[in-house]
Amino acid sequence: ELGKSERIKDYDRSLFVLDENFKDLSSFTALGNIYFLHESLTDVAVWNFKNEQFQKIEGFNVYTNELEKVQIIQKVRFPDEYYKQVTWTRKGYMRLRWKIGNLKIDFVNVHLFHDASNLMAYEESPSSFSYSRRHALEQILNGIDNDNLPSAPLFIFGDFNFRLDLRSVVDILCPPNNDRYSKKKTKEMLVFRDTDNNDEAVLTIEKKVFDYGDHSVFCKNNGEMIRECDVEADYFKDRLSECPRNFPPSYPYCEDVAAGTMYMKTRCPAWCDRILLNNAAVPLVKHNSLSTYTYDVMGKSVCMGDHKPVCLHFKLPSGWSDANNGSSSNNSKSGEDARSLNCVPVMRTYQLG
């Protein structure tokens, strides 16, 4: 029904790729991609990985089963050995390559590994979970860089599950050199108490509990106080960039419709959901000093589930060509005949199984 809605009548072609085959545990990822093509885009096509040529998209297209046989996508579920902390995982990625005029663009929807235990993440610092995420993301980037296709601007988006370095966060909330805070540790719990306030518990950490007395600190000034603890993406700074992230952590929000702006006390809030760009994609978003774009979360004041979806909206001028690695052609004029491009990764749009 979404693809046929009157509200998007000016988008006359669409492509839905939804991994719904939850019975196939060897390949199920629960990833989904939805693309709407505006009627003004007359020269747009998607890459066929088997036939090795671009093909036009016409009408309303839906793919939900046996996606491994769909030739216009690359879908990969990460092997179990990538994440040994659990017996099975549905993490993976989905890639489509598009051509808009002369410009070829890769879009990769990714879902990386979560933190299985807050206590382990605190004790290890940096955690083994972060290394698993790094390894998986490296495999994606290396696979794209080393395939037989010409290099292209890349937008990689989704639930990276990037977490804050938990030990550093705790040191900010309860400074270890401050005698005001006492610390008690058991096998299943870590509790920090305020000795100046009747030994009241201010922070409790368990495997799936992160309970800090005032979770509003994670939203204040878009999480400025804890940004220094957000370091996972820094490992890829030579290969991937991100627009300024002027929004609070995107996870874990309450799933109660009456508390859509509050965080659950299960995990330390973090910017799990991101849109990252390779070096060739950056000038597509920031092509001159007058470029405007929006990079933000959606549904700030309402319940959107435990993740707030992140969107990137920008103007893509005509005349761009991948032949000069993301640089505009000499005959293109900034701001003229621009096309608006919305990149809105929506993770876990539905629950299956």
Side-chain angles (χ1 to χ4, degrees), residues 14-41:
S14 57
L15 173 62
F16 288 65
V17 183
L18 309 173
D19 189 358
E20 294 184 340
N21 189 13
F22 59 89
K23 294 182 179 180
D24 185 356
L25 299 183
S26 65
S27 66
F28 179 59
T29 63
L31 289 169
N33 291 269
I34 302 175
Y35 295 90
F36 296 105
L37 307 180
H38 195 270
E39 60 187 9
S40 63
L41 291 175

Side-chain angles (χ1 to χ4, degrees), residues 2 77 106 115 158 173 179 250 267 324 326 330 333:
L2 176 61
R77 173 186 168 270
D106 276 325
D115 278 11
L173 301 178
D179 294 337
S250 62
R267 308 288 187 183
N324 45 25
N330 294 330
K333 296 181 180 180

Side-chain angles (χ1 to χ4, degrees), residues 137-152:
L137 185 51
E138 280 185 312
Q139 293 299 308
I140 297 173
L141 297 178
N142 292 341
I144 293 174
D145 288 345
N146 298 325
D147 65 17
N148 60 354
L149 296 176
S151 60

Side-chain angles (χ1 to χ4, degrees), residues 33-218:
N33 291 269
I34 302 175
Y35 295 90
F36 296 105
L37 307 180
H38 195 270
E39 60 187 9
S40 63
L41 291 175
T42 57
D43 185 11
V44 59
V46 66
W47 181 253
N48 187 306
F49 288 96
K50 182 176 181 180
N51 296 337
E52 297 187 335
Q53 61 184 9
F54 283 99
Q55 66 182 54
K56 296 285 187 179
I57 294 293
E58 302 291 346
F60 181 65
N61 304 269
V62 179
Y63 300 97
T64 59
N65 289 303
E66 297 185 310
L67 297 185
E68 292 74 18
K69 297 180 180 179
V70 179
Q71 298 174 6
I72 61 173
I73 69 168
Q74 283 184 340
K75 183 180 81 82
V76 175
R77 173 186 168 270
F78 295 126
D80 292 336
E81 56 265 27
Y82 276 28
Y83 194 64
K84 298 181 179 179
Q85 291 88 344
V86 296
T87 56
W88 178 82
T89 176
R90 56 181 172 84
K91 307 302 192 290
Y93 68 94
M94 191 180 294
R95 175 192 183 191
L96 287 88
R97 170 167 287 207
W98 289 86
K99 183 171 75 72
I100 305 173
N102 293 323
L103 176 66
K104 302 175 182 66
I105 309 178
D106 276 325
F107 290 108
V108 176
N109 187 0
V110 65
H111 192 185
L112 300 183
F113 306 108
H114 63 286
D115 278 11
S117 168
N118 294 327
L119 290 172
M120 287 180 61
Y122 172 81
E123 291 294 340
E124 294 173 345
S125 183
S127 73
S128 58
F129 311 122
S130 67
Y131 286 118
S132 294
R133 289 188 284 270
R134 178 192 299 182
H135 176 58
L137 185 51
E138 280 185 312
Q139 293 299 308
I140 297 173
L141 297 178
N142 292 341
I144 293 174
D145 288 345
N146 298 325
D147 65 17
N148 60 354
L149 296 176
S151 60
L154 165 68
F155 292 82
I156 181 167
F157 52 86
D159 182 3
F160 289 85
N161 258 314
F162 288 160
R163 306 300 174 99
L164 306 183
D165 182 84
L166 199 55
R167 177 69 64 87
S168 299
V169 173
V170 172
D171 287 349
I172 290 174
L173 301 178
C174 303
N177 57 353
N178 190 334
D179 294 337
R180 176 177 177 175
Y181 300 103
S182 65
K183 172 183 173 182
K184 183 178 180 180
K185 179 184 176 184
T186 66
K187 183 178 180 180
E188 298 181 350
M189 183 182 298
L190 181 62
V191 180
F192 291 83
R193 297 184 179 276
D194 185 351
T195 59
D196 288 354
N197 190 20
N198 298 319
D199 258 4
E200 180 180 352
V202 293
L203 175 61
T204 301
I205 302 176
E206 300 176 32
K207 181 179 180 179
K208 294 185 178 181
V209 171
F210 186 88
D211 186 356
Y212 182 62
D214 182 13
H215 271 226
S216 67
V217 301
F218 299 107

